Amino acid sequence: MTLFGFLSTYPPTRCGLATFTEALASAIATGDSDRCVVVRVDDGVPADAAVSSARLRVDDRMLQPGDPAGRATAAETLAVCDIVVVQHEYGIYGGADGDEVIDLLQRLHVPRVVVMHTVLPAPTAHQRRVTEQIIENSEIVVAMTSTAADLLSELYGVPEERLRLIPHGVEEWTAQPDIVHSERPVLLTWGLLGPGKGIEWVIRALATMKDLDPQPLYRVLGQTHPKVLLENGEQYRRSLWALADELGVIASVEIDARYQQPDELAREVAGADVVMLPYDSHDQATSGVLVEAVAAGRPVVATRFPHAIELLSDGGGALVAHRSPDEVAAAVRMLLADPAHALADAELARSLGSVISWHSIAERYRELAAELALVGGLRS
């Protein structure tokens, strides 16, 4: 039996890392011989207690930023594990650029696997030092895209024998028999809202498509990111409504702030004509929403961030420039003009091996744990 440890944010916290860890740990814990322990990272947002089970225990003490005693306790909790999987983002651990995670990694004396959710191509000097120390204090570094793997190898010097490419997993989407398609083409974005999501560029694009009949309807699903809500309230959401009103497209924009349960979201995605990922970031190494859209067989319009370039270059939608309403509008027009071709492209993208179930991803981590055990953690 292998006991996996996880260090990450975790539901009921709602963020990409929390969702990722829940899906991966749950998939591992469904195995006949594996169990999981999760140490939750406090990202500064109040949350209820997480739900534990016989095979997946979530520690009820959260790791707080700026708390050396808490890091010692977290290390003690994870010390009984055979392997510890750490989800890394610069914004969730305490200290400058999240450098407190290094102290915790140094306290662990079991094989450490760090999953790099962001790999910066142009880090500051301190970000680079933090990344290099994370690499030094881990046995294996996991990238989720080829672009991220290349950066880790070429820019940060991760040796080939310690670098693994394990893609982002995805739940299997099932088409709902009760889908009611809108009379208007539906453009869809989902996920936690906040500046950087680029919703405003799609709204601006809508203003240039008033000649289309029927008019596209842009649906945005998602709560405001908890950290954004604490710092700025609903300012971003209000700015989107104001922009839609100013441009005369408010009747073509729907922003639903409810948290979508999986079956609700599956229906929404199945009923969409085009999925919109207009993110502002040029450096986003992975996007769970992108993988889910490709898995659902929906055409995607995305800005040219690394994960989108990797998944969509051979079909499945259209890549557009950042902050370019004109390119967004042109891509939507193209996909709506030939929906059969767009869906064929999307199905091609889905079949190219980009979509891997969480069950298969869990098996990759099991194989990694077995490899580490076999060679004594890879390093002496």
Side-chain angles (χ1 to χ4, degrees):
M1 179 183 69
T2 301
L3 180 58
F4 284 78
F6 288 88
L7 177 69
S8 176
T9 54
Y10 196 81
T13 296
R14 288 171 181 159
C15 70
L17 266 67
T19 302
F20 180 98
T21 302
E22 180 185 36
L24 177 56
S26 297
I28 288 173
T30 58
D32 293 334
S33 59
D34 300 318
R35 294 186 297 116
C36 301
V37 173
V38 179
V39 171
R40 293 173 65 198
V41 177
D42 180 6
D43 63 349
V45 179
D48 298 330
V51 177
S52 295
S53 66
R55 305 196 68 84
L56 200 167
R57 180 175 69 83
V58 184
D59 195 74
D60 56 8
R61 295 161 295 185
M62 296 179 72
L63 176 62
Q64 308 282 341
D67 180 12
R71 294 196 291 274
T73 300
E76 288 174 9
T77 301
L78 295 169
V80 300
C81 299
D82 299 296
I83 179 175
V84 174
V85 181
V86 178
Q87 310 301 331
H88 182 263
E89 276 281 15
Y90 294 94
I92 69 167
Y93 298 101
D97 296 315
D99 60 8
E100 290 180 5
V101 72
I102 298 165
D103 174 48
L104 198 152
L105 287 169
Q106 291 173 339
R107 292 172 186 264
L108 291 172
H109 301 290
V110 296
R112 300 151 296 181
V113 174
V114 177
V115 183
M116 301 296 291
H117 287 256
T118 295
V119 182
L120 299 172
T124 65
H126 187 259
Q127 287 169 337
R128 182 168 186 141
R129 284 197 301 272
V130 169
T131 306
E132 289 171 345
Q133 289 182 70
I134 288 169
I135 293 166
E136 176 61 28
N137 287 282
S138 58
E139 278 64 43
I140 294 292
V141 179
V142 173
M144 286 184 277
T145 65
S146 296
T147 302
D150 289 343
L151 279 172
L152 286 166
S153 174
E154 297 166 11
L155 182 62
Y156 295 98
V158 181
E160 181 180 352
E161 67 272 13
R162 292 177 49 218
L163 180 62
R164 299 292 185 276
L165 174 56
I166 305 179
H168 195 296
V170 65
E171 300 288 350
E172 290 192 16
W173 294 85
T174 55
Q176 302 294 323
D178 57 344
I179 295 298
V180 178
H181 289 279
S182 170
E183 294 181 358
R184 302 169 64 180
V186 175
L187 315 180
L188 181 68
T189 295
W190 73 91
L192 295 173
L193 258 63
K197 285 292 186 180
I199 308 299
E200 58 270 30
W201 308 113
V202 181
I203 294 174
R204 291 185 182 279
L206 284 174
T208 72
M209 293 188 282
K210 292 180 181 178
D211 59 300
L212 292 182
D213 185 18
Q215 282 277 292
L217 174 66
Y218 184 32
R219 285 183 52 72
V220 180
L221 309 177
Q223 297 174 314
T224 297
H225 193 289
K227 282 192 173 180
V228 174
L229 193 62
L230 280 177
E231 295 171 5
N232 300 306
E234 293 288 3
Q235 180 178 333
Y236 181 65
R237 191 183 301 272
R238 288 196 298 269
S239 74
L240 298 176
W241 281 123
L243 180 62
D245 189 31
E246 175 190 339
L247 297 176
V249 294
I250 199 162
S252 295
V253 177
E254 295 180 356
I255 305 177
D256 189 339
R258 293 180 303 112
Y259 176 76
Q260 302 282 321
Q261 296 298 327
D263 58 339
E264 294 179 292
L265 182 57
R267 284 193 292 271
E268 292 279 0
V269 175
D273 295 278
V274 183
V275 172
M276 311 298 296
L277 279 73
Y279 303 159
D280 287 344
S281 173
H282 292 256
D283 304 328
Q284 185 154 349
T286 57
S287 167
V289 173
L290 173 60
V291 177
E292 289 173 345
V294 172
R298 296 295 90 190
V300 178
V301 172
T303 46
R304 292 184 179 91
F305 58 89
H307 200 184
I309 293 171
E310 198 161 304
L311 288 193
L312 302 178
S313 290
D314 294 324
L319 295 166
V320 299
H322 290 80
R323 305 185 176 204
S324 176
D326 290 341
E327 287 201 20
V328 170
V332 170
R333 287 177 182 274
M334 176 190 70
L335 293 172
L336 293 183
D338 192 353
H341 180 75
L343 289 171
D345 259 5
E347 186 55 35
L348 173 63
R350 189 180 191 278
S351 67
L352 288 175
S354 307
V355 177
I356 303 178
S357 71
W358 280 115
H359 174 78
S360 297
I361 296 299
E363 190 58 35
R364 299 276 289 273
Y365 279 88
R366 289 192 187 99
E367 292 169 357
L368 183 54
E371 178 188 354
L372 288 167
L374 185 65
V375 297
L378 282 185
R379 295 190 295 174
S380 58

